[in-house]
Amino acid sequence: EPPDTPKDFSCQTQDMKRVTCTWTEGETYLYGQNLPRYTLSNTSSPKMALCEASCSKQCSCSWDIGHQRIWNVTVTVENPLGKKTATDVFDVKHRIYPTAPLQIWEDSTDTEITLHWNYEKNGIELFWQTQVLQPDGEVELHNSSDVDSRHKRVTVRGLQPYTEYTARVRCGAAKHFWRWSEWSQPLTIRTKEGTPSGKLDIWREITPVLGGRNVTLFWKETPSFQANGKIISYEVTWEKLEDGSKPESISFSSVYNSTRIFIDNHSCRISVTAKNNVNFSLPSVLIISGAPDNSRTIFSTEELKEGQVNGTDDGILISWEPRSIYDSYIIDWCNFPRLQPCDLQWKRSGPNTSSAVISSAAFVPGVRYKFRVYGSVANKAFLLEKKIGYLRELPPRFDPIVRKVDLTYNSVTLSWDSYLTNESEPGFVRGFHIYVSPIQGNCNLKGSKKHIISADSELCKYTIENPEEKSYTVEHLMPNTQYKIAVKAFTGGGEKTPIDGFRYIDTPYNSNMLYFVFLLVIVPTLVAAICHWKMKWVKECCCPVIPSPNKSKVLSFKEYKLDSEKVLKINDCIPDMLATDSNAEPQKL
């Protein structure tokens, strides 16, 4: 193919003595003696080549400019198939591309860095740009003007003490800016140490002992605390507030973050400071009230009932009732509550807060954590509330042991021991589930819910939502039937699976039904048998052929008796018919 017009053709100078032109060549797919040839010429002398071009990734050509300042340069490219040209007209003073600064060094204080470098003065007025890379990755640019000296410098202020920065410098023409120079080699600088800023966050745990109290102090750096150097030690100072006694103090290496001191029952002021190679930080202060005044927070914490709290996706949510008298709140807890002594942790919240989410990488499901909420005012802390909770509850490890089973023909009463809910439990016991099923067939007891175990197995389920309950009666059972029954405790994490530990029971016959059958069948049958056996006596007694006058209600008159026989007064009854007996006896009578 014929050559393309040279692309990106431009010319520039670094020292006002020599000009370099550059461009990008196109692809012609010709090789050897047919490669494109480049020629640079001045318009005023087109037949005189200014320089010989060389091409690799980019083509370039350089020549001495002498005293000429305005140039009209043409680059010509040709091969056997054609020729193309490109032109650049420029003033050398408008095409200055300075060299990069060399030999950079620095000096610093705790908040400033001064960069120094040498630069050969060549009559070009320059201005400088300094790039400072912050520790967080943010880049700051600082511009400065040229000074009439071979020795250059720039000062960057407002830096953090004992912090590492990376700086580099470049320059450009102050008049008729064309391009920035390349950056200098980066220089890594650490500012000097300064006085620590801010205060440590301190907390305490108080243990009453004979004659006073043991106070375990803890401290840590807050986000607002700046060490501004390397912390070499911590200093703890304490003094009584009442009698103005001489303060006591002790110093610890920077590897420690806690200590224990003994104080008596008087009020005490405790302060902790951090020290680097320059100075101490401002003191962080705690005031421990005297034992009689602080009895609520030291000796009577058991009076506060422990409230239950729940875990969330972000941690354990702690809430409390805010009080306007406190300027902050502190929540403390142990990351590993089963270890003694525990590693006490704490978190502070502002005065207008009533809740906080406590999160820790040490929190694991199934472990009960204890939290205490304190209100703080004038450096004094008062216990307000106590909480217990889990990051996530797990099912109970054990189920209640059924101690007693009382059976009737249609019910069973189960009794079990009180369920121990100690700190080792993996969740709060919320109640119990009672599972019942006949050995043969499925369960459909009234008042229960179905619990499907598999496609061909189901149980009747009763729920008790009172963890203090110790007995339950299952009703509507069938007499003379075998059942299996189990009691399971459940927490917020469910219940222990699988459902096992069944007890097998046999309901007795229905005694009321037997009594009814006895009355309805057996007694009449017995009476009929007796009557059949004594038929003649029964017939004579109940239905005689000749009724006995003595058994007649008509013959019930006491005044008419003859030899203890009842006598019928003839006028007391109206006969249907009258007949006369011819026998001598009635005639005689």
Side-chain angles (χ1 to χ4, degrees):
E1 294 182 356
D4 290 332
T5 301
K7 298 179 181 178
D8 304 324
F9 178 57
S10 67
C11 302
Q12 58 195 15
T13 181
Q14 288 189 318
D15 53 8
M16 294 294 291
K17 297 177 182 179
R18 192 171 180 82
V19 170
T20 300
C21 295
T22 58
W23 65 92
T24 303
E25 66 176 339
E27 180 60 66
T28 62
Y29 305 101
L30 296 175
Y31 304 97
Q33 63 180 3
N34 294 321
L35 281 172
R37 296 182 301 277
Y38 295 93
T39 304
L40 261 74
S41 61
N42 192 354
T43 305
S44 60
S45 304
K47 294 184 179 181
M48 182 183 296
L50 294 174
C51 58
E52 183 178 349
S54 62
C55 296
S56 54
K57 293 183 179 179
Q58 190 180 45
C59 297
S60 65
C61 188
S62 301
W63 73 95
D64 294 331
I65 60 175
H67 298 290
Q68 185 175 344
R69 292 292 178 262
I70 306 299
W71 289 84
N72 187 344
V73 179
T74 299
V75 59
T76 303
V77 56
E78 61 180 324
N79 67 10
L81 299 178
K83 179 171 68 173
K84 293 290 177 63
T85 62
T87 301
D88 188 16
V89 180
F90 60 94
D91 185 337
V92 174
K93 290 183 178 181
H94 297 183
R95 295 292 181 89
I96 298 174
Y97 170 51
T99 57
L102 300 174
Q103 298 178 346
I104 297 181
W105 68 97
E106 50 78 26
D107 57 62
S108 65
T109 66
D110 58 340
T111 59
E112 295 182 359
I113 293 174
T114 300
L115 298 175
H116 304 265
W117 65 93
N118 291 326
Y119 199 86
E120 183 178 355
K121 189 174 181 181
N122 52 19
I124 305 173
E125 184 180 354
L126 302 174
F127 72 97
W128 307 87
Q129 189 172 71
T130 304
Q131 182 191 70
V132 179
L133 179 63
Q134 305 278 349
D136 60 1
E138 183 180 350
V139 175
E140 288 186 2
L141 296 175
H142 301 267
N143 295 327
S144 59
S145 59
D146 203 354
V147 292
D148 190 17
S149 172
R150 184 174 181 274
H151 176 73
K152 313 295 183 181
R153 69 180 180 180
V154 63
T155 299
V156 181
R157 297 179 174 83
L159 304 180
Q160 294 296 321
Y162 202 64
T163 304
E164 197 170 83
Y165 297 90
T166 300
R168 56 182 183 172
V169 181
R170 65 181 179 180
C171 60
K175 296 179 180 180
H176 311 297
F177 177 81
W178 169 247
R179 287 180 60 187
W180 285 111
S181 72
E182 297 298 326
W183 286 108
S184 67
Q185 289 297 318
L187 184 65
T188 299
I189 311 154
R190 181 182 288 277
T191 52
K192 289 182 168 39
E193 294 189 52
T195 300
S197 61
K199 298 180 181 181
L200 295 171
D201 186 4
I202 64 174
W203 189 234
R204 86 293 184 273
E205 187 171 33
I206 303 172
T207 305
V209 294
L210 184 63
R213 294 158 289 173
N214 283 334
V215 179
T216 304
L217 294 170
F218 303 87
W219 56 85
K220 62 184 177 181
E221 295 182 1
T222 63
S224 62
F225 178 83
Q226 298 295 328
N228 293 337
K230 184 177 181 181
I231 298 298
I232 58 176
S233 65
Y234 298 99
E235 186 166 293
V236 177
T237 304
W238 65 98
E239 60 181 330
K240 295 180 184 178
L241 295 179
E242 285 87 355
D243 57 7
S245 59
K246 184 179 179 180
E248 299 180 66
S249 64
I250 188 171
S251 183
F252 299 93
S253 167
S254 61
V255 299
Y256 294 96
N257 65 352
S258 66
T259 188
R260 176 182 293 177
I261 62 174
F262 172 80
I263 62 174
D264 59 20
N265 290 323
H266 292 87
S267 297
C268 185
R269 180 183 185 273
I270 303 173
S271 64
V272 182
T273 58
K275 184 180 186 301
N276 62 13
N277 290 310
V278 176
N279 207 342
F280 288 93
S281 68
L282 294 173
S284 300
V285 178
L286 275 176
I287 295 178
I288 308 296
S289 298
D293 297 333
N294 208 27
S295 59
R296 170 176 169 78
T297 61
I298 298 178
F299 300 103
S300 304
T301 57
E302 287 74 12
E303 296 177 2
L304 293 175
K305 186 178 180 181
E306 292 180 330
Q308 294 183 3
V309 293
N310 300 318
T312 66
D313 293 338
D314 300 321
I316 299 176
L317 177 62
I318 309 296
S319 58
W320 60 88
E321 182 182 349
R323 284 86 162 175
S324 60
I325 63 172
Y326 298 114
D327 52 34
S328 66
Y329 297 94
I330 303 100
I331 306 102
D332 70 6
W333 72 95
C334 294
N335 272 342
F336 303 96
R338 295 173 183 172
L339 298 180
Q340 293 297 330
C342 81
D343 60 329
L344 189 69
Q345 306 292 320
W346 70 98
K347 181 178 180 178
R348 293 182 181 270
S349 296
N352 298 320
T353 57
S354 60
S355 65
V357 175
I358 307 300
S359 59
S360 171
F363 286 169
V364 294
V367 175
R368 180 180 295 184
Y369 297 95
K370 293 185 175 182
F371 301 89
R372 294 176 295 191
V373 181
Y374 293 82
S376 176
V377 58
N379 297 322
K380 293 183 180 181
F382 301 91
L383 181 62
L384 304 180
E385 299 180 24
K386 299 168 72 176
K387 308 286 185 179
I388 54 175
Y390 298 83
L391 180 66
R392 190 178 77 248
E393 295 184 56
L394 297 180
R397 283 191 290 268
F398 307 103
D399 290 320
I401 299 176
V402 178
R403 296 295 186 185
K404 185 179 179 183
V405 178
D406 293 325
L407 280 171
T408 67
Y409 71 92
N410 69 342
S411 68
V412 58
T413 300
L414 305 172
S415 301
W416 56 87
D417 294 336
S418 296
Y419 196 89
L420 297 178
T421 55
N422 54 32
E423 296 179 5
S424 63
E425 281 298 318
F428 297 119
V429 175
R430 315 282 178 160
F432 305 94
H433 288 147
I434 311 296
Y435 293 98
V436 184
S437 178
I439 300 301
Q440 301 294 330
N442 290 326
C443 183
N444 54 359
L445 296 178
K446 183 180 178 181
S448 67
K449 293 183 179 180
K450 287 189 177 182
H451 181 79
I452 307 299
I453 297 179
S454 62
D456 55 352
S457 178
E458 64 182 38
L459 302 172
C460 283
K461 178 180 177 181
Y462 298 88
T463 300
I464 306 171
E465 295 183 347
N466 179 11
E468 304 297 327
E469 193 66 59
K470 294 188 290 185
S471 65
Y472 188 77
T473 299
V474 180
E475 299 178 335
H476 309 294
L477 302 180
M478 295 296 295
N480 192 29
T481 304
Q482 189 177 33
Y483 290 89
K484 61 180 181 179
I485 192 166
V487 181
K488 307 283 288 184
F490 68 88
T491 67
E495 63 183 26
K496 179 185 174 185
T497 56
I499 302 174
D500 52 11
F502 283 100
R503 293 190 63 151
Y504 293 86
I505 59 172
D506 292 289
T507 54
Y509 286 100
N510 188 345
S511 58
N512 293 333
M513 184 64 71
L514 292 176
Y515 182 68
F516 178 75
V517 170
F518 178 78
L519 292 178
L520 192 63
V521 179
I522 303 301
V523 172
T525 303
L526 183 61
V527 171
I530 292 174
C531 290
H532 181 74
W533 180 40
K534 296 290 186 178
M535 181 63 73
K536 184 177 179 182
W537 176 81
V538 170
K539 184 176 181 181
E540 290 179 356
C541 180
C542 297
C543 303
V545 177
I546 302 173
S548 171
N550 290 323
K551 297 180 180 180
S552 173
K553 290 184 178 180
V554 177
L555 306 177
S556 60
F557 305 99
K558 296 179 180 180
E559 60 271 26
Y560 296 101
K561 286 191 177 182
L562 182 64
D563 297 331
S564 75
E565 292 290 337
K566 291 183 179 181
V567 177
L568 174 66
K569 289 176 63 177
I570 199 70
N571 60 348
D572 286 339
C573 62
I574 301 174
D576 293 326
M577 135 182 347
L578 184 64
T580 301
D581 196 334
S582 60
N583 290 338
E585 186 177 356
Q587 291 177 355
K588 183 179 178 180
L589 179 61

